[in-house]
Amino acid sequence: MASEVEKKAVFDIDSAKEVVQELRASFVAGKTKDYEWRRTQLKAMLKMMDENEPQIVAALRDDLSKPELESSIHEIAMLKNSCKLALKKMKHWVMPEKAKTSLATFPSSAEIVSEPLGVVLVISAWNYPLLLSLDPVIGAIAAGNAIVLKPSEISPATASLLAKLVANYMDSSCIKVVEGAVPETTALLEQKWDKIMYTGNGRIGRIVMAAAAKHLTPVVLELGGKCPVIVDSGINLQVATRRIIAGKWGCNNGQACISPDYIITTKDYAVELVDSFKCELERFYGKNPLESKDLSRVVNSNHFARLLKLLDEGKVSSKIVYGGERDKSNLKIAPTILLDVPQDSLIMNEEIFGPLLPIITIDKVEDSFDLINSGTKPLAAYMFTNNKKLKEKFVEKVSAGGLVINDTTVHLAEPTLPFGGVGDSGMGAYHGKFSFDTFSHKKAVLYRSFAGDAPLRYPPYTNGKLRLLKALLGGSILGIIRALMGWSKA
Amino acid sequence: MEELKAFHGGRANLRLCFNSNQNEDSIFKALDQDLGKSPVESYRDEVGVLKKSVTYTLSCLEKWVAPKKAEVPLLFFPAKAEVMPQPLGVVLIFSSWNFPFTLALDPLIGAISAGNTVLLKPSDLAPACMSFLVETIPKYLDNKAIKVVAGGADIGERLLQLKWDKIFFTGSPRVGRLVMAAAAKHLTPVTLELGGKCPAIVDTLSTTPSKAKVTAKRIVGGKWGPCNGQACIAIDYLLVEEKLASALIELLKKTIKRFYGENIKSLKSISRIVNEHQFQRLVNLLKDPNVADSIVYGGSVDEEKLVIEPTILLDPPLDSEIMSEEIFGPLLPIITLKNIEESINFINSKSNPLVIYAFTEDETFKKRILSETSSGTVTFNDSMVQFLCDSLPFGGVGQSGFGRYHGKYSFDTFSHEKSILHRGFYPEIEPRYPPWTDFKLLFIKLAYEFDYFGLILLLLGFKRS
């Protein structure tokens, strides 16, 4: 009994230090750099997901009431694809990249070699607790690092399951899961890491970066923002509406960093748009959406209260045109649409992260760009239009992590596109090869030979050497030849 | 100097006029005043580097700003994916005193080419150069978009309170931490170009005499050549086999005398120590009697002229300050080993340097150095020249910093790579939408595996969920 109690002791600074020391020893011993080790771990992760799908789906249901389809597809299938891609492409990713050399360093050859950073920390979020934990870990493994994963305590069933599965399937001398909340995370952040990747909100992002600064640790911060959707007229409204719904309520009930946060459309088009939403929402979720099994719940009572605060604010509650129903005991809020909420309302000034969708109306579609740019840069921005010029303007003017035209959220599934934010929505990117790169150091290597040692490099410095140096750096062929062959006299 | 054309794409104005003789002379004069740099060194390490960088950037800029296509799987058809670089916005550049032009203007070139507006804060420890930049840049560059501010650490601190879209810092790890901590408050991404003890492994002394001579020249050129050792990529210390140490020292002595003069009185073609503070710091490194005892060449100082002659030490105590701090000056410790392969462990016992130099022809040893050590860069059989390679990323790892620049990497470091996916309205894939059914689940699973054949079977009713 006593030893059981000891095992469950608090994870404090000393425990964190021990963990890092153990992982660093494994890294220095070369375990994680070994190519076969990386392949074995990735294959083990695939097996882990194949053999535990029902348990994963159950944990996600516990934590988020996530529908099975969302769990199977947005979390498990996406991860398996990511694993398979890494297994397939890793042999190319680890190859050094040749770099061109110029006459200035002739004769020489150069390359860029990818090497692991060392021991990395991945802190993930609660809304996609499996995907946002393991997708970065896939990149870190492929790049050859040792890893600590700290899943979110707000999705505890998934966190526990991850801890158990990773310990059973993967090499725990190199990959560890540390469960816990603020004290454990703080203990981890005190340590020196070679990279920290954090997915979550801006407030904690600042804390993570400040902690990293003490050790000069580079960071990747995947944060959030208010992802806008501009809806132009003259489009296939039904398809557009469905795609917005799929990206909003179909993604963990709006609790996703790339979910459409709010809509901007013209005053003339708003009514048609609202009607289309009403129609499609009912088709997807029925007349009593609070009872639909196809919607996640709000994760916990804190967030539930937060969302109600946004909804029940005086100047906002009168703007509800659809939905608004809530079920406190089951932490459910029905898909809710609001029309023309004031710009200074709470709901328009923080990331909603829930099933409320405000629609802002403007006179001309072009006005939407300035409106978006007046806020902080979001992780994603969406636009539905058939107007080529508008598309071009949108792409050029709107700064966001990523843009999608005529759809929402699907760019996440595209491993050839870097996924990350800019400004307040974060720094750094991952997915596909970008994950491998983000956990690698790209070491520059220059190979020189002993031939062609030009005296003009060396002192004593004279005017003659200055003249020749100018020729060399300036690219005058004749001057260069003379300089390189060492035929120039000092 | 040449005139750069404004880039036609409507990007922020890139018009840098370098005036042939007039400004060049002023630059040489300022560098001589602040650091005692000779015109050849000034051209080689500052003016020439910058001209090359600008020319290269202009020739590639159109290619760099163009969006890059990304592959899209058939499932998404019809769709188009691309990555488009965009300026980050308003950026802050802090530069250092040892290469006051290069370290200020090379990042500036990157920031401008990527379309940002820039505030440059040069180091006040090179005051003549700083003044030159403050006075001259507004004459040539768009003053509404590019500003230079003079001042010391207090100005730097105040600038750090503001919100920037990127901060680029070259300097010491101590200040690097402060910069990053300040940036964290605003979630501002940073690039930190720091330092470290750059070792040179010497394994070519027992090859041919001419290779040994070239090795010595490149070592000497890589230590005292760049601002008299006051450079982040200067060779900090040497690692050599015991039995070859005296041969190495002899070669180095000869080379030093030939390059820089016989003694401290006849010293030439070499920069001086930047100021009194750095001078005292370096002199203090030699105060330890065990360290002083290990001096085998040089050691003389001239406080009035802020000169310390090229000094070689043989096996100073490993726990002395000279072996634990970045030297950043004209003192060169030589550490001897029984076997040159031990140099790998020795280097790994210290924090990751900006560069590892290795003079060796042993291909196996080269491979071991590459895979068993970590540094920003590795250069084989030479020193310093990697700086001239526009195609190699220049930056550190671990305590030597993070982020990189030079060539396209400069452009990238000041850009945000925005991903863009264009979709069509047709065809529509119904299984994307609720209410969910087993059929839809199976459909999507097959879709995610890109199992197009399976999908067809499912649609034709030949697959059951």
Side-chain angles (χ1 to χ4, degrees):
Chain A
M1 250 309 95
S3 59
E4 279 296 326
V5 173
E6 270 175 69
K7 268 199 207 140
K8 283 195 183 282
V10 168
F11 183 91
D12 58 9
I13 299 259
D14 288 327
S15 334
K17 215 175 187 173
E18 262 175 55
V19 162
V20 174
Q21 269 166 359
E22 189 191 335
L23 289 176
R24 198 159 288 289
S26 301
F27 178 73
V28 165
K31 277 192 191 179
T32 59
K33 284 194 205 175
D34 179 53
Y35 183 75
E36 279 315 312
W37 178 89
R38 305 183 205 187
R39 287 192 69 83
T40 317
Q41 295 307 298
L42 291 174
K43 286 197 191 134
M45 196 189 279
L46 263 180
K47 194 162 169 232
M48 179 172 98
M49 285 185 285
D50 277 333
E51 292 177 358
N52 293 281
E53 192 160 330
Q55 289 91 318
I56 295 172
V57 170
L60 288 167
R61 199 180 306 121
D62 270 346
D63 284 333
L64 299 152
S65 300
K66 207 174 263 211
E68 185 189 343
L69 188 133
E70 281 189 48
S71 300
S72 288
I73 301 308
H74 296 169
E75 303 239 28
I76 299 172
M78 286 273 294
L79 267 173
K80 284 167 71 168
N81 271 4
S82 188
C83 240
K84 287 184 198 164
L85 183 73
L87 278 165
K88 185 169 157 203
K89 299 271 183 171
M90 204 166 49
K91 61 178 177 287
H92 300 292
W93 295 349
V94 298
M95 294 301 292
E97 207 187 299
K98 287 245 159 291
K100 280 211 310 238
T101 53
S102 64
L103 281 175
T105 53
F106 181 87
S108 62
S109 67
E111 60 184 7
I112 301 169
V113 169
S114 295
E115 59 179 31
L117 287 165
V119 183
V120 307
L121 173 63
V122 174
I123 302 175
S124 65
W126 54 261
N127 55 341
Y128 286 84
L130 194 79
L131 181 67
L132 299 177
S133 296
L134 296 181
D135 208 1
V137 169
I138 290 170
I141 293 174
N145 299 278
I147 304 152
V148 168
L149 168 61
K150 161 67 188 70
S152 171
E153 69 278 16
I154 297 180
S155 45
T158 315
S160 287
L161 183 62
L162 265 173
K164 198 176 91 187
L165 292 178
V166 168
N168 286 345
Y169 284 82
M170 310 192 69
D171 181 349
S172 29
S173 69
C174 301
I175 303 170
K176 292 190 189 297
V177 177
V178 171
E179 289 176 81
V182 174
E184 290 78 6
T185 311
T186 309
L188 287 170
L189 285 173
E190 288 283 307
Q191 309 308 314
K192 176 169 156 49
W193 304 93
D194 297 303
K195 185 121 189 184
I196 300 177
M197 171 149 170
Y198 168 76
T199 305
N201 66 59
R203 190 181 65 84
I204 308 289
R206 285 171 172 79
I207 295 174
V208 170
M209 190 170 169
K214 296 201 182 94
H215 298 288
L216 293 171
T217 299
V219 301
V220 171
L221 302 177
E222 295 269 331
L223 309 175
K226 291 183 78 59
C227 301
V229 186
I230 306 172
V231 182
D232 189 15
S233 52
I235 53 167
N236 184 326
L237 184 55
Q238 190 194 34
V239 170
T241 313
R242 299 167 117 207
R243 290 177 179 182
I244 295 173
I245 296 174
K248 175 82 172 183
W249 295 281
C251 283
N252 207 24
N253 204 4
Q255 299 165 106
C257 49
I258 46 169
S259 257
D261 187 280
Y262 67 102
I263 296 193
I264 308 175
T265 192
T266 53
K267 292 187 164 39
D268 294 334
Y269 203 57
V271 172
E272 237 183 294
L273 181 60
V274 170
D275 283 340
S276 181
F277 269 117
K278 286 182 182 173
C279 180
E280 298 303 322
L281 278 169
E282 195 174 304
R283 196 184 305 211
F284 288 176
Y285 303 116
K287 284 198 178 350
N288 289 318
L290 286 176
E291 288 168 27
S292 169
K293 293 259 176 309
D294 295 334
L295 283 168
S296 297
R297 68 162 198 264
V298 174
V299 67
N300 62 20
S301 44
N302 277 350
H303 280 275
F304 189 82
R306 179 184 66 80
L307 287 163
L308 284 190
K309 193 160 159 225
L310 297 181
L311 195 54
D312 294 340
E313 192 185 6
K315 48 190 157 179
V316 162
S317 54
S318 50
K319 307 288 182 181
I320 298 176
V321 294
Y322 181 87
E325 301 94 357
R326 70 285 304 267
D327 172 355
K328 190 167 175 186
S329 53
N330 287 315
L331 293 176
K332 293 214 163 193
I333 300 176
T336 301
I337 302 186
L338 306 98
L339 184 57
D340 278 328
V341 297
Q343 281 294 343
D344 61 352
S345 54
L346 283 173
I347 203 175
M348 282 312 294
N349 283 289
E350 62 177 70
E351 186 176 359
I352 295 169
F353 225 69
L356 320 174
L357 182 68
I359 301 179
I360 307 290
T361 59
I362 44 175
D363 291 319
K364 296 193 322 286
V365 178
E366 290 84 347
D367 296 341
S368 55
F369 305 139
D370 286 337
L371 185 60
I372 296 171
N373 286 338
S374 70
T376 57
K377 298 176 187 179
L379 193 50
Y382 308 110
M383 180 163 192
F384 287 87
T385 181
N386 278 322
N387 181 326
K388 187 155 184 270
K389 276 214 157 21
L390 269 178
K391 284 183 197 178
E392 280 168 17
K393 239 182 151 185
F394 173 62
V395 165
E396 202 203 306
K397 283 192 153 220
V398 173
S399 186
L403 302 178
V404 184
I405 297 185
N406 293 335
D407 212 327
T408 63
T409 69
V410 286
H411 62 304
L412 190 81
E414 196 37 76
T416 53
L417 288 174
F419 181 75
V422 63
D424 280 36
S425 53
M427 55 183 83
Y430 73 125
H431 283 185
K433 180 170 191 287
F434 302 102
S435 294
F436 174 86
D437 291 342
T438 218
F439 287 105
S440 298
H441 165 54
K442 301 287 179 174
K443 185 159 73 177
V445 183
L446 183 64
Y447 297 88
R448 287 267 293 153
S449 84
F450 286 95
D453 197 42
L456 75 90
R457 279 178 66 169
Y458 306 111
Y461 296 136
T462 63
N463 282 335
K465 283 189 178 177
L466 178 57
R467 198 176 5 107
L468 289 157
L469 199 57
K470 286 185 174 184
L472 177 71
L473 287 175
S476 143
I477 296 292
L478 215 51
I480 290 172
I481 293 173
R482 285 168 61 208
L484 284 173
M485 295 300 120
W487 290 340
S488 50
K489 292 206 174 37
Chain B
M1 305 184 184
E2 310 114 46
E3 181 184 37
L4 302 179
K5 293 185 297 213
F7 177 65
H8 299 301
R11 303 253 141 196
N13 300 318
L14 189 71
R15 207 156 47 88
L16 213 65
C17 298
F18 290 82
N19 202 323
S20 209
N21 294 312
Q22 214 174 312
N23 287 338
E24 197 172 280
D25 283 343
S26 312
I27 291 173
F28 287 165
K29 195 156 153 236
L31 285 166
D32 180 50
Q33 202 174 319
D34 284 337
L35 296 155
K37 262 191 212 195
S38 94
V40 175
E41 200 183 317
S42 299
Y43 191 88
R44 184 195 68 197
D45 296 346
E46 309 239 27
V47 178
V49 167
L50 286 168
K51 282 168 88 162
K52 189 172 73 61
S53 185
V54 162
T55 311
Y56 182 71
T57 301
L58 277 175
S59 69
C60 297
L61 192 53
E62 223 167 305
K63 208 170 44 173
W64 296 347
V65 299
K68 278 200 300 271
K69 293 234 165 301
E71 246 181 63
V72 186
L74 194 58
L75 191 66
F76 284 88
F77 181 85
K80 187 176 87 159
E82 56 187 6
V83 177
M84 172 184 270
Q86 279 209 313
L88 288 166
V90 184
V91 310
L92 173 62
I93 298 176
F94 283 112
S95 62
S96 167
W97 52 261
N98 53 343
F99 292 87
F101 288 96
T102 306
L103 299 178
L105 299 180
D106 211 0
L108 183 68
I109 290 169
I112 295 175
S113 66
N116 301 278
T117 56
V118 189
L119 181 70
L120 171 62
K121 158 75 186 68
S123 169
D124 62 334
L125 297 181
C129 297
M130 179 176 73
S131 297
F132 177 89
L133 286 170
V134 169
E135 281 156 25
T136 317
I137 287 195
K139 292 195 186 132
Y140 294 94
L141 295 181
D142 182 347
N143 198 35
K144 290 210 183 63
I146 298 152
K147 291 192 187 297
V148 187
V149 74
D154 55 334
I155 300 283
E157 261 172 60
R158 277 156 62 189
L159 288 172
L160 284 173
Q161 312 277 346
L162 306 171
K163 179 172 161 53
W164 304 92
D165 296 306
K166 174 111 191 188
I167 301 178
F168 186 99
F169 171 79
T170 305
S172 72
R174 185 188 66 85
V175 182
R177 286 181 175 83
L178 297 173
V179 170
M180 189 171 171
K185 297 202 177 89
H186 298 288
L187 293 172
T188 298
V190 301
T191 292
L192 302 177
E193 297 271 333
L194 310 176
K197 290 181 80 62
C198 298
I201 302 172
V202 188
D203 187 34
T204 38
L205 289 178
S206 41
T207 54
T208 66
S210 69
K211 284 187 183 156
K213 273 210 197 102
V214 172
T215 302
K217 284 202 289 182
R218 290 177 179 182
I219 290 174
V220 172
K223 174 68 177 187
W224 295 280
C227 206
N228 199 5
Q230 298 164 107
C232 51
I233 51 172
I235 294 176
D236 188 281
Y237 65 98
L238 299 181
L239 292 160
V240 72
E241 275 178 7
E242 264 178 336
K243 57 186 199 265
L244 297 168
S246 37
L248 176 61
I249 292 171
E250 284 315 301
L251 268 176
L252 292 176
K253 281 186 191 173
K254 278 206 192 94
T255 315
I256 290 171
K257 287 187 181 156
R258 205 170 78 223
F259 284 3
Y260 306 118
E262 289 287 325
N263 53 46
I264 194 171
K265 293 219 176 352
S266 52
L267 217 52
K268 55 187 171 18
S269 296
I270 194 169
S271 301
R272 63 151 210 272
I273 308 301
V274 65
N275 59 23
E276 179 70 36
H277 171 76
Q278 289 293 324
F279 180 87
Q280 285 305 336
R281 182 185 66 80
L282 289 161
V283 161
N284 286 340
L285 291 179
L286 297 175
K287 277 211 164 74
D288 180 341
N290 294 324
V291 172
D293 280 346
S294 67
I295 296 179
V296 294
Y297 180 83
S300 310
V301 310
D302 180 341
E303 184 160 354
E304 205 192 298
K305 297 206 180 102
L306 292 178
V307 168
I308 299 174
E309 67 169 328
T311 300
I312 304 177
L313 306 96
L314 179 60
D315 282 322
L318 294 180
D319 59 357
S320 56
E321 226 179 304
I322 202 175
M323 280 315 293
S324 49
E325 296 289 309
E326 185 178 1
I327 296 170
F328 225 71
L331 319 173
L332 179 68
I334 300 179
I335 305 296
T336 60
L337 309 160
K338 289 233 163 11
N339 184 313
I340 196 65
E341 314 246 327
E342 290 166 27
S343 50
I344 291 180
N345 283 343
F346 189 93
I347 292 172
N348 285 342
S349 69
K350 299 194 177 301
S351 53
N352 297 338
L354 203 44
V355 191
I356 293 176
Y357 297 107
F359 290 87
T360 179
E361 302 211 279
D362 181 340
E363 293 302 318
T364 314
F365 189 38
K366 282 186 193 175
K367 286 203 173 71
R368 274 196 70 201
I369 292 171
L370 270 185
S371 62
E372 294 176 36
T373 63
S374 183
S375 57
T377 303
V378 178
T379 298
F380 288 110
N381 296 330
D382 209 330
S383 62
M384 305 300 298
V385 286
Q386 74 279 2
F387 199 76
L388 294 177
C389 253
D390 287 314
S391 58
L392 282 177
F394 181 76
V397 66
Q399 298 296 295
S400 50
F402 54 81
R404 57 212 188 149
Y405 71 126
H406 281 187
K408 180 169 193 291
Y409 300 103
S410 294
F411 175 86
D412 290 343
T413 217
F414 288 103
S415 300
H416 165 54
E417 302 219 303
K418 186 164 72 178
S419 6
I420 305 164
L421 183 63
H422 294 257
R423 291 264 292 145
F425 283 97
Y426 311 101
E428 257 293 75
I429 298 181
E430 286 304 315
R432 278 181 72 170
Y433 308 112
W436 302 132
T437 61
D438 286 340
F439 171 88
K440 288 183 179 180
L441 177 56
L442 184 55
F443 184 99
I444 299 181
K445 280 188 172 173
L446 291 168
Y448 265 65
E449 285 166 26
F450 302 112
D451 184 355
Y452 298 110
F453 186 60
L455 278 172
I456 293 172
L457 288 179
L458 178 69
L459 288 169
L460 291 175
F462 290 124
K463 239 187 181 11
R464 287 273 164 268
S465 31

